[in-house]
Amino acid sequence: MLRTVLAAALCLGLPASVAAQEVTLSFAHWLPPTHPLQPTGFEPWIQSIEDASDGRIKIDIYPAQQLGAAGDHYDMARDGIADITWINPGYQPGRFPLHAIGELPLMMSDAKAGSRAFDAWYRQYAPQEMSDVYYCMTHSHDPGTFHSKDPVRTPADIEGKNVRPAHATMARWVSLMGGASVQVPAPEAREAIAKGAADMITFPWGSIFIFGIDKEVSNHLDTPLYVSSQAIVMNKDMVEGLPDDLRQIIDDHCTPEWTETVVSGWVDAEAAGRDRMIEEGHTLYKPTAEDLAKWRESAAPLTQEWMEAVNARGVDAQAAYDGYVAALQEAGALMGDD
């Protein structure tokens, strides 16, 4: 969908080389336009790109699945349906096993520094795992948890319940704990809860309000249980076809530093949701050390399964895991390391 102004420039008698340097790009995501990530993250990032290019790059935003379903956004970038997309790799289980390390629970405690660390770590693997797109950045939301109609304190409370999980790894964890997964993307989660198809959901705090689920659930496990990691990717032909100076601007806006900048407003908005829960009389349960030990024990098989999947791709899973842990630890974002 990259568009030049070549024809208009030729009509004005301007050189074709001038026209070729002006492009309009489409940026598709599946969040509502009122979601804090758009005004606090996407829009400032886009404005910085446009400013750095002196207006030669324009980017139009298409939110709320306007160009395609949430789970299709990676392929939309690959196929040029959109030039830039915001994706949740967890919506395609097994396709991006290295990136799925960000889905392992009870690891990331700080999503700002943690996003920067995750992005810096993943860049060594992105060229092989996302080779058919231009990888820009990865970031994680403020750590989420279980939000339920009934109290949830330990893994035993998941048994027999229907749960809308954030991604494939959470779905597997739910299964290990004796629950059943109700697989729907975030925009459809409220309906699943409201109609009784799901008893609980894994979400970051603020999104419970953003997606209108606060009237459906009133019990919350008060701990940073997991994160879901999203990425911005671009159509490879589009990026490679840019003039060198415009390509450099794109490269300069796809860095670990930018991923922290883009996600920071969203992280703050999600964290504020917890305070709002308290103000509105919801019930929050803070797990004891014994409770957390039970949650960690129930999640332990997920790490082993992740390593098996990564080893099957010909990558040293232990080295990759150790590198990720070290990156989080250095950033001060490893859960239980404060």
Side-chain angles (χ1 to χ4, degrees):
M1 294 181 71
L2 180 156
R3 182 171 71 246
T4 74
V5 296
L6 177 59
L10 292 177
C11 289
L12 295 173
L14 298 176
S17 59
V18 173
Q21 293 187 20
E22 297 184 18
V23 298
T24 299
L25 307 178
S26 56
F27 178 24
H29 68 83
W30 39 267
L31 299 170
T34 54
H35 189 285
L37 187 55
Q38 178 162 320
T40 69
F42 295 155
E43 290 177 7
W45 178 70
I46 287 170
Q47 188 63 55
S48 180
I49 291 173
E50 293 180 350
D51 290 346
S53 70
D54 293 325
R56 290 178 294 142
I57 297 177
K58 298 289 186 182
I59 301 177
D60 296 329
I61 301 179
Y62 295 86
Q65 304 186 99
Q66 289 183 34
L67 300 184
D72 294 336
H73 274 53
Y74 180 89
D75 292 333
M76 286 161 53
R78 181 197 64 191
D79 299 338
I81 295 171
D83 297 305
I84 308 168
T85 63
W86 186 72
I87 68 168
N88 185 336
Y91 285 173
Q92 297 191 8
R95 187 172 183 180
F96 309 103
L98 279 152
H99 196 276
I101 197 171
E103 300 175 1
L104 294 177
L106 299 164
M107 293 193 73
M108 187 185 293
S109 60
D110 178 346
K112 292 182 183 180
S115 290
R116 186 182 69 247
F118 184 4
D119 181 64
W121 169 85
Y122 186 66
R123 287 179 182 276
Q124 63 189 304
Y125 301 111
Q128 65 186 86
E129 191 163 74
M130 298 188 180
S131 60
D132 44 9
V133 297
Y134 172 93
Y135 170 80
C136 181
M137 67 176 74
T138 284
H139 49 242
S140 304
H141 60 59
D142 188 61
T145 188
F146 281 102
H147 310 277
S148 178
K149 295 178 179 179
D150 300 317
V152 54
R153 299 181 176 90
T154 70
D157 296 317
I158 308 301
E159 187 173 0
K161 297 295 176 62
N162 294 324
V163 184
R164 184 273 172 187
H167 44 62
T169 302
M170 289 299 292
R172 175 63 180 138
W173 194 15
V174 166
S175 178
L176 289 170
M177 292 184 286
S181 293
V182 179
Q183 299 278 14
V184 295
E188 301 169 23
R190 187 203 62 79
E191 185 176 9
I193 298 285
K195 291 187 174 180
D199 304 302
M200 62 181 71
I201 185 171
T202 61
F203 243 28
W205 293 93
S207 285
I208 292 293
F209 294 99
I210 293 169
F211 289 91
I213 307 172
D214 54 297
K215 299 298 188 292
E216 309 298 336
V217 295
S218 59
N219 293 277
H220 314 272
L221 184 66
D222 190 13
T223 191
L225 200 68
Y226 80 98
V227 298
S228 176
S229 296
Q230 293 78 34
I232 294 177
V233 298
M234 303 184 184
N235 179 264
K236 184 179 264 188
D237 290 341
M238 178 276 292
V239 175
E240 292 178 350
L242 291 173
D244 290 346
D245 59 338
L246 298 188
R247 167 66 186 267
Q248 187 60 55
I249 290 169
I250 295 297
D251 290 343
D252 291 344
H253 284 78
C254 293
T255 65
E257 292 73 26
W258 262 110
T259 198
E260 181 174 2
T261 298
V262 167
V263 82
S264 289
W266 182 24
V267 170
D268 291 340
E270 293 289 5
R274 179 182 175 277
D275 295 333
R276 184 175 171 184
M277 295 283 188
I278 296 171
E279 292 171 2
E280 297 191 4
H282 288 236
T283 301
L284 279 66
Y285 176 74
K286 189 73 174 177
T288 65
E290 183 180 355
D291 293 336
L292 281 175
K294 292 177 181 178
W295 286 109
R296 288 191 179 279
E297 181 181 4
S298 69
L302 299 173
T303 299
Q304 182 59 40
E305 291 174 3
W306 177 85
M307 288 193 173
E308 291 172 0
V310 169
N311 281 328
R313 293 291 181 94
V315 176
D316 186 334
Q318 188 64 57
Y321 181 86
D322 291 345
Y324 178 62
V325 169
L328 290 181
Q329 191 169 37
E330 183 177 354
L334 183 65
M335 187 173 175
D337 199 47
D338 44 27

